[in-house]
């Protein structure tokens, strides 16, 4: 299902009806995805390597005190940032998450918060981390230089537009303004002509 959402998201974003051109574009625009709770989240970057992760909170409990809730949300922010970093690089389970530490950058109450990171005590100046709070979900996006990718066979690196970026290029890429997330529902992928049938079958059609 996650792969289906990836292909569909690329298709509606770039509108490439021809299947051969679509396959070519999909290979040139690697999409990173993760699913948890109510969301399937996707992110893509033309130059940077990109990782995304989402964490959903347990069902809220009336007896839960606010301080515990805040602690859990902070933990989810740290965990999703670490997972997004590992996914962007391609380490998988081989990376010790205890090596990386994150520090939130003070913000003015926005739902998006920038985060700085260190690995083994060394600041990652060529990386950018953003954490988004979406209801009771936390979504983290990690962007970094393509030369940091872990790719033993070279297959993924071969798809990158530029396998190496200068300091000026990576900083420009990291600080390029990006659009907010687009929230889409299952009904959005149903053809208009089939939505009545989808609704009759019990599906929710959002307008």
């Amino acid at each position: 299902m996650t792969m289906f959402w990836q292909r569909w998201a690329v298709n509606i974003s770039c509108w490439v009806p021809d299947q051969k051109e679509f396959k070519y574009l999909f290979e040139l625009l690697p999409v990173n995805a993760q699913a948890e709770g109510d969301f399937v989240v996707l992110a893509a970057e033309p130059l940077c390597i990109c990782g995304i992760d989402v964490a959903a909170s347990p069902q809220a409990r009336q007896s839960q005190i606010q301080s515990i809730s805040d602690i859990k949300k902070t933990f989810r922010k740290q965990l999703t940032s670490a997972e997004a970093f590992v996914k962007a690089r391609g380490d998988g389970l081989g990376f010790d998450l205890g090596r990386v530490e994150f520090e939130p950058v003070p913000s003015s109450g926005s739902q998006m918060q920038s985060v700085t990171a260190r690995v083994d005590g060394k600041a990652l100046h060529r990386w950018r981390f953003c954490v988004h709070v979406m209801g009771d979900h936390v979504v983290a996006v990690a962007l970094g230089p393509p030369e940091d990718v872990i790719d033993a066979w070279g297959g993924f690196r071969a798809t990158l537009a530029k396998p190496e970026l200068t300091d000026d290029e990576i900083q420009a890429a990291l600080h390029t303004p990006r659009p907010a997330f687009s929230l889409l529902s299952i009904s959005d992928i149903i053809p208009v002509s089939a939505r009545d049938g989808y609704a009759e079958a019990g599906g929710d059609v959002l307008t």
Side-chain angles (χ1 to χ4, degrees), residues 187-201 203 205-207:
S187 64
D188 289 317
I189 67 175
I190 305 297
V192 175
S193 59
R195 289 187 180 177
D196 288 343
Y198 174 73
E200 290 175 359
V205 177
L206 303 180
T207 58

Side-chain angles (χ1 to χ4, degrees), residues 32-156:
N32 199 261
Q34 182 66 27
E36 184 171 304
D38 297 330
F39 288 163
V40 176
V41 294
L42 304 98
E45 281 289 320
L47 291 178
C48 300
I49 54 176
C50 175
I52 190 169
D53 194 66
V54 57
S57 68
Q59 291 184 346
R61 299 178 180 176
Q62 295 297 325
S63 60
Q64 185 180 56
I65 60 174
Q66 186 62 36
S67 59
I68 297 298
S69 178
D70 289 343
I71 290 172
K72 288 184 176 180
K73 181 172 287 187
T74 299
F75 174 75
R76 294 203 308 275
K77 289 180 179 180
Q78 297 276 333
L79 182 60
T80 54
S81 296
E83 293 287 355
F85 173 64
V86 171
K87 289 184 67 182
R89 282 167 43 100
D91 294 272
L93 299 177
F95 187 87
D96 179 6
L97 296 182
R99 295 173 52 199
V100 60
E101 53 186 305
F102 298 94
E103 182 70 27
V105 176
S107 63
S108 57
S110 170
Q111 293 298 299
M112 190 277 287
Q113 185 174 39
S114 294
V115 178
T116 60
R118 295 177 179 271
V119 172
D120 300 329
K122 183 178 180 180
L124 301 180
H125 296 299
R126 290 165 64 86
W127 282 80
R128 184 184 181 193
F129 299 84
C130 295
V131 175
H132 306 257
V133 178
M134 298 182 176
D136 59 354
H137 292 64
V138 174
V139 179
V141 179
L143 304 175
E147 55 267 29
D148 280 6
V149 72
I150 307 299
D151 184 19
W153 299 100
F156 177 68

